Amino acid sequence: MQVEINQLELRYAALRIVERGHRAKLLASVAEDGQQSPVTVVAAEEPERFVLIDGYARVAVLRDLARDLVDAMTLEVSEAEALVMSHGLNGQRRRSALEDGWLLDALMDRHGLTIAELATRLGRSRSWVCRRLALVTVLPEEVQKRVRRGQLSAQVATKYLVPLARANGGHCTKLVINLRGHRPSVREMQRLYTAWRMGDAAQRGKIVERPKLFLKATDPEEPMSEAAKRLLEDLRMLAAVSRRAERRVDDGADRDAADSERQRIRRAFTNARRGFESLGAAMHPWEKTDAGPRHTEGDPPTSG
């Protein structure tokens, strides 16, 4: 069915992160081909009104294009149940841990679900629910606001800003505010957080007051040619893939495989090892006998 956009209640817009790149591609697609998939709604208490459950990006681009109508699919379930269903069925992109936390918080605060009920309905453990809710509880609202706008990545927020907020919420907020205009990478936030954690009170104050100056002063990257940059990126990707494969082995992917599958895995590993040894010999002939997967630039292995 089609409904007018002004019939929609957008009460759950804050549960998802705005991704500008995705939004731009969606805008171009809708402008050329129209809306390809319906948004999901449930009936509101007021007649002829609907609560938008899923499809906020589509509604946003339709508004940008000055469209008045939106294709919608109505779910004949409660609002809370529709939110749970959207969490399980949304296959366009994986939710971040922080987005999970926002959804859980909304289900508890607005719909009165308990931790046990959330775990059961989402097919998760209680500890998973508690960890996600803790992100929302610990992280200052100013930080969450910037994550929602796409000014900070969810990975930066959960990996470094959450522990910083646990230690000093005021410094966490101040650091983020003083980073305005700059979207820090994971590596940059790691440098900021590590320096803050290792510093004394005066050093910590300087870092949160002038984080961009700190990043500029401690930037380990020197100017590189385009060819060198591409090679560096390839090597970083190679290291990341190696770490990911190692985690799969640790999780038992090799051990639990059938004999035929294990043989194919072993052959693939042999080819990968030969390729890496050849690369090592080409780059550093003096390390030919010592070639093997390493964590580039001294980065420690990351956990899954």
Side-chain angles (χ1 to χ4, degrees):
M1 70 172 184
Q2 284 193 323
V3 300
E4 294 185 8
I5 291 179
N6 60 18
Q7 290 179 269
L8 299 176
E9 295 184 12
L10 310 180
R11 62 181 61 159
Y12 297 110
L15 300 188
R16 298 307 295 264
I17 295 170
V18 173
E19 295 185 342
R20 291 182 173 83
H22 171 72
R23 182 73 62 86
K25 292 178 182 178
L26 184 60
L27 179 65
S29 174
V30 173
E32 182 174 354
D33 302 318
Q35 183 184 347
Q36 297 299 300
S37 59
V39 301
T40 304
V41 301
V42 296
E45 293 182 2
E46 185 179 345
E48 303 301 319
R49 300 284 296 175
F50 302 90
V51 177
L52 182 61
I53 300 296
D54 184 63
Y56 281 85
R58 277 162 281 173
V59 170
V61 300
L62 287 169
R63 277 181 161 173
D64 290 342
L65 294 169
R67 308 284 175 84
D68 297 322
L69 299 176
V70 56
D71 294 327
M73 176 178 65
T74 303
L75 299 179
E76 302 296 334
V77 296
S78 68
E79 201 170 306
E81 193 60 36
L83 287 170
V84 171
M85 290 172 62
S86 73
H87 181 274
L89 296 177
N90 192 323
Q92 293 185 349
R93 73 169 180 84
R94 186 177 179 180
R95 290 178 185 266
S96 68
L98 195 51
E99 287 172 313
D100 285 335
W102 291 333
L103 173 64
L104 294 167
D105 186 60
L107 288 168
M108 290 187 70
D109 184 59
R110 182 181 287 271
H111 300 289
L113 271 66
T114 66
I115 289 177
E117 289 171 333
L118 289 171
T120 299
R121 294 196 185 193
L122 293 174
R124 299 284 188 170
S125 66
R126 292 192 184 193
S127 62
W128 182 90
V129 173
C130 291
R131 288 197 303 271
R132 269 23 182 207
L133 286 170
L135 297 178
V136 178
T137 303
V138 171
L139 209 56
E141 181 55 37
E142 182 63 31
V143 179
Q144 296 186 46
K145 188 184 303 181
R146 290 169 189 257
V147 174
R148 287 188 181 100
R149 295 171 180 168
Q151 296 168 342
L152 286 172
S153 76
Q155 186 178 7
V156 160
T158 55
K159 194 168 185 179
Y160 296 110
L161 294 177
V162 166
L164 176 57
R166 287 196 179 105
N168 191 319
H171 272 197
C172 182
T173 299
K174 186 177 293 186
L175 176 70
V176 167
I177 291 175
N178 289 331
L179 278 168
R180 59 185 173 274
H182 178 70
R183 191 177 192 271
S185 67
V186 173
R187 288 178 179 271
E188 287 177 329
M189 190 56 72
Q190 180 187 35
R191 284 160 50 202
L192 286 167
Y193 174 66
T194 301
W196 182 91
R197 186 167 52 86
M198 301 297 292
D200 57 26
Q203 292 168 333
R204 290 179 174 185
K206 290 179 181 179
I207 290 171
V208 300
E209 288 290 347
R210 307 189 74 180
K212 289 187 284 188
L213 180 61
F214 173 85
L215 289 173
K216 184 176 181 180
T218 60
D219 188 358
E221 301 286 355
E222 296 180 357
M224 300 177 67
S225 67
E226 286 302 315
K229 286 181 181 178
R230 289 194 291 270
L231 176 58
L232 178 60
E233 183 61 26
D234 286 344
L235 291 173
R236 285 174 172 170
M237 290 174 61
L238 182 60
V241 170
S242 177
R243 293 195 292 269
R244 185 175 65 192
E246 183 179 351
R247 291 197 297 271
R248 296 193 193 284
V249 172
D250 290 341
D251 290 340
D254 180 42
R255 182 183 63 251
D256 299 334
D259 289 341
S260 60
E261 295 172 331
R262 190 176 295 112
Q263 290 175 5
R264 293 170 63 185
I265 291 171
R266 290 284 187 260
R267 287 196 297 270
F269 172 72
T270 299
N271 290 334
R273 182 170 57 187
R274 287 172 179 168
F276 197 92
E277 289 173 349
S278 177
L279 172 63
M283 292 187 63
H284 302 296
W286 58 87
E287 292 184 355
K288 185 173 182 180
T289 60
D290 191 32
R294 298 186 180 188
H295 302 296
T296 60
E297 302 181 349
D299 290 343
T302 58
S303 61

